[in-house]
Amino acid sequence: MKFSRRDTLQLGLAGLAGFGVTTFMPFTARAQGKGDSYKTMGGEILISPISHASFVMSMPGLVIYNDPVGGKELYEGHPTAGLVLITHEHQDHFDPETLAAIVGADTRLVVNPAVMDKLPADLKAKAAAIGNGEKTTIGTVEIEAIPAYNTTEDRKKYHPQGRDNGYVLTVDGSRVYIAGDTEDIPEMRALKDILVAFVPMNLPYTMDETQASSAVTEFKPAFVYPYHYKGSDPQAFAAKLAAAAPDIKVVQGAWYG
């Protein structure tokens, strides 16, 4: 059974618990229209899902757009990005026209090397490229590029090892993991101390709900967003995770309307 974001809000935690699904919804923050709120040592992180793999994450002093695509209108009402993260070159993650419309005078970009090669000159001047295992810092946020790749033989053509990035952001002592397009790789399973994770699940490009729940069970974030899941069932993922690791809270965002 699938639920929309509106359905989930109407059912509430008690209703979902009756279906055996562990789902966390930050009601107060969403009711105020400012996104999902997660406390850090000195403030909060606000997360607003936009579409598919795109979201806005705000914190004191910095607004981050992750893989922004789909046109400027999707980001109306959100503050201008101080930082744009791009995981890889596929069109559902990298859209030069959207970037040209939303990047402001002071916006910085952090991208993988393959995207750096494809940026127009004006955006390239604002960008830094980091590859797997490398780090950079924007403001007070440390950004580490985590590998993102396919391991199943017939899927390796989509995301070859070494090209694409996921990211771990360290924000005021809290760590946020953005997986990008990947399967349940060892580098994901080895992560520690993740507050919020974004994990994809759609075949054939990433992984299925079973692979995703298995990996999340191992690295144990406090909260996990299923995202990039068109054609998959995030509630099936939530049910598998509830059975294996009930302390991990699943957050269902409005990625597809």
Side-chain angles (χ1 to χ4, degrees):
M1 182 176 292
K2 296 183 180 181
F3 299 96
S4 69
R5 184 178 184 180
R6 179 177 295 175
D7 293 334
T8 306
L9 285 168
Q10 290 174 342
L11 279 168
L13 293 177
L16 282 174
F19 291 97
V21 176
T22 302
T23 300
F24 175 82
M25 305 293 289
F27 294 107
T28 301
R30 287 190 177 176
Q32 294 172 348
K34 65 176 185 176
D36 304 334
S37 176
Y38 302 93
K39 296 297 183 183
T40 65
M41 291 189 299
E44 65 179 349
I45 299 169
L46 297 175
I47 294 172
S48 297
I50 300 295
S51 178
H52 189 57
S54 305
F55 61 87
V56 175
M57 181 165 59
S58 303
M59 61 208 66
L62 188 63
V63 176
I64 299 173
Y65 287 14
N66 183 76
D67 283 346
V69 302
K72 182 179 180 179
E73 62 276 5
L74 289 181
Y75 304 89
E76 291 177 354
H78 293 281
T80 301
L83 171 64
V84 171
L85 296 173
I86 303 174
T87 58
H88 65 291
E89 64 197 67
H90 290 167
Q91 64 182 4
D92 55 336
H93 299 262
F94 171 49
D95 178 7
E97 290 186 7
T98 297
L99 291 175
I102 64 171
V103 166
D106 297 321
T107 305
R108 302 280 303 279
L109 291 82
V110 172
V111 305
N112 70 321
V115 166
M116 188 71 161
D117 291 340
K118 298 176 183 297
L119 286 172
D122 58 335
L123 294 178
K124 188 175 291 187
K126 297 174 173 288
I130 58 174
N132 294 175
E134 297 180 335
K135 297 180 180 180
T136 190
T137 300
I138 302 294
T140 60
V141 178
E142 181 186 84
I143 304 161
E144 179 180 3
I146 304 297
Y149 57 94
N150 289 109
T151 56
T152 302
E153 193 60 40
D154 63 356
R155 302 178 203 165
K156 290 181 179 179
K157 60 188 176 185
Y158 299 117
H159 306 98
Q161 187 170 359
R163 187 191 68 187
D164 303 339
N165 287 345
Y167 296 106
V168 169
L169 313 181
T170 302
V171 180
D172 193 25
S174 296
R175 285 159 53 85
V176 176
Y177 173 49
I178 305 164
D181 280 12
T182 186
E183 291 188 58
D184 54 333
I185 57 176
E187 296 90 342
M188 177 191 293
R189 290 177 175 271
L191 292 170
K192 305 291 184 185
D193 301 322
I194 300 297
L195 174 64
V196 179
F198 295 84
V199 176
M201 54 201 77
N202 70 322
L203 295 178
Y205 305 106
T206 61
M207 54 185 160
D208 63 20
E209 299 93 339
T210 298
Q211 287 177 285
S213 62
S214 174
V216 171
T217 297
E218 187 160 345
F219 76 85
K220 294 181 173 60
F223 303 94
V224 60
Y225 286 80
Y227 83 146
H228 197 292
Y229 61 73
K230 190 173 185 179
S232 297
D233 186 353
Q235 294 296 335
F237 164 79
K240 291 176 184 293
L241 198 57
D247 290 340
I248 299 172
K249 305 301 188 295
V250 179
V251 188
Q252 302 287 6
W255 303 101
Y256 300 100

